[in-house]
Amino acid sequence: MALRNSVLKLAKLGRSSSHMRLRGLSTQTFEKVNESEKSKQTHFGFETVDEKEKWKKVHNVFETVAEKYDVMNDAMSLGIHRLWKDIFMQRLAPTHGTKLLDVAGGTGDITFRYINYLKNLGLATEGRRSAVTVCDINQAMLDVGKLRAQRQGYTPETCGVDIDWVCGDAEKLPQADDSYTAYTIAFGIRNCTHIDKVLEEAYRVLAPGGRFMCLEFSHLPNEALQWAYDKYSFQVIPVLGQLIAGQWKPYQYLVESIRQFPNQEKFKSMIEDAGFRQVTYENLTFGVTAIHSGFKI
């Protein structure tokens, strides 16, 4: 009888111990699910949003400002953005036969500079046909770019460069592996939810020896200059957006998104982590913007 009671007590203890372990595992699983849900959040400017929401919000921003995009660029930067983009193209220094993928290039600013740069090189030798694919997630921005191209006479027949306009996501490009010799993204990568995925996709579509180049707002190393820049950004740019484009919030997001973007050294490391080599950066206008470059070896 005593032996039977001992066995029953051990059985109950085993069941209780198993129950406790199951409860512990259940709690751990719940905590992991919560952590997973938290990890799916990201920033939209200074606002915290679900990752699925960010691309919609960014899409709406550029859908709203597409028609006034170029005018606002001139107003916000006092026209200096044109100089930044000119320098950017000079650093790329494309040659005849270059096959460029211009991501987030909807309105055509970089593409048109690419075409003009090739024109200034003179006539291409036979068989050295150049091409550019303008890829943007926002069709409204692409429509603005196409209209500008027509008005300025940028057609394959007149400029000698094949131009393709594609609506696509920088984080999941529709282009094939190893299909371009150059990849550019200007003032677009900070709007993407997963910067690392954008860089990985850039690496994937570039052929060996291909060059990655990014022009993006950055961080000023001088505290006094950064303070002045912050004052201008937060107190002037949204006001200009309201006066010129009739929109405050998109330009409030703009200045907030710049502050959320990694500094030059951090972004350099991210580019290297994606597989690129010979990665460098060059500050423009004291670090207001920076040109980042790397090669697929």
Side-chain angles (χ1 to χ4, degrees):
M1 192 69 175
L3 178 61
R4 186 181 173 209
N5 289 338
S6 296
V7 170
L8 288 172
K9 283 181 181 178
L10 286 170
K12 287 180 180 178
L13 184 62
R15 285 197 298 270
S16 176
S17 177
S18 297
H19 182 64
M20 290 298 290
R21 283 198 300 271
L22 284 171
R23 285 185 64 185
L25 286 170
S26 177
T27 302
Q28 289 174 15
T29 302
F30 180 74
E31 287 174 353
K32 284 180 180 178
V33 168
N34 276 350
E35 286 176 10
S36 175
E37 287 177 354
K38 286 179 183 177
S39 70
K40 291 179 181 177
Q41 291 192 319
T42 187
H43 58 80
F44 176 75
F46 291 160
E47 181 185 353
T48 300
V49 298
D50 289 340
E51 286 185 352
K52 292 178 181 178
E53 285 184 45
K54 179 170 178 175
W55 78 267
K56 293 177 184 177
K57 286 179 172 287
V58 171
H59 185 275
N60 289 338
V61 164
F62 288 96
E63 189 87 13
T64 302
V65 304
E67 291 185 7
K68 296 286 187 179
Y69 185 75
D70 295 311
V71 175
M72 275 301 298
N73 279 345
D74 281 332
M76 290 185 299
S77 70
L78 305 177
I80 299 174
H81 77 100
R82 296 175 182 271
L83 180 59
W84 293 334
K85 292 167 183 173
D86 288 342
I87 295 171
F88 184 61
M89 189 52 56
Q90 289 168 14
R91 298 297 183 266
L92 177 62
T95 58
H96 290 301
T98 295
K99 193 172 182 184
L100 172 67
L101 176 61
D102 181 26
V103 176
T107 58
D109 270 7
I110 301 302
T111 288
F112 301 152
R113 282 170 171 79
Y114 165 73
I115 293 170
N116 289 336
Y117 191 97
L118 292 176
K119 275 184 178 181
N120 291 333
L121 294 179
L123 293 174
T125 56
E126 191 174 346
R128 300 280 291 172
R129 185 80 178 178
S130 303
V132 57
T133 299
V134 187
C135 183
D136 200 294
I137 200 169
N138 194 294
Q139 187 61 50
M141 297 289 279
L142 288 168
D143 291 341
V144 171
K146 287 179 184 178
L147 185 60
R148 288 182 67 197
Q150 291 172 4
R151 287 175 175 171
Q152 297 178 38
Y154 291 111
T155 65
E157 295 75 25
T158 57
C159 67
V161 176
D162 295 326
I163 310 172
D164 192 20
W165 303 82
V166 176
C167 191
D169 186 350
E171 295 184 17
K172 195 175 181 180
L173 293 169
Q175 288 79 15
D177 295 359
D178 304 332
S179 51
Y180 292 89
T181 58
Y183 173 113
T184 55
I185 181 166
F187 302 119
I189 199 166
R190 76 178 186 285
N191 297 311
C192 299
T193 304
H194 304 100
I195 296 172
D196 55 340
K197 288 184 180 179
V198 176
L199 295 171
E200 288 167 7
E201 280 292 273
Y203 189 86
R204 179 184 66 80
V205 300
L206 279 171
R211 190 175 187 187
F212 166 84
M213 287 195 67
C214 174
L215 175 63
E216 189 52 87
F217 289 109
S218 202
H219 299 260
L220 281 70
N222 182 289
E223 289 186 9
L225 288 175
Q226 184 67 54
W227 178 86
Y229 179 47
D230 286 344
K231 289 292 183 183
Y232 172 77
S233 297
F234 286 98
Q235 296 181 13
V236 177
I237 288 178
V239 175
L240 288 174
Q242 185 65 48
L243 293 174
I244 297 172
Q247 299 288 336
W248 180 290
K249 287 186 178 180
Y251 296 97
Q252 181 71 29
Y253 159 74
L254 168 70
V255 297
E256 291 177 358
S257 68
I258 293 169
R259 272 57 185 185
Q260 296 282 32
F261 192 69
N263 64 31
Q264 292 89 321
E265 284 294 328
K266 173 63 176 174
F267 189 45
K268 178 177 181 285
S269 296
M270 294 176 73
I271 297 170
E272 290 171 335
D273 289 343
F276 290 101
R277 295 296 174 261
Q278 300 176 28
V279 179
T280 61
Y281 65 84
E282 175 186 357
N283 286 333
L284 304 179
T285 316
F286 308 108
V288 171
T289 62
I291 296 172
H292 296 263
S293 172
F295 292 87
K296 179 175 178 177
I297 304 301

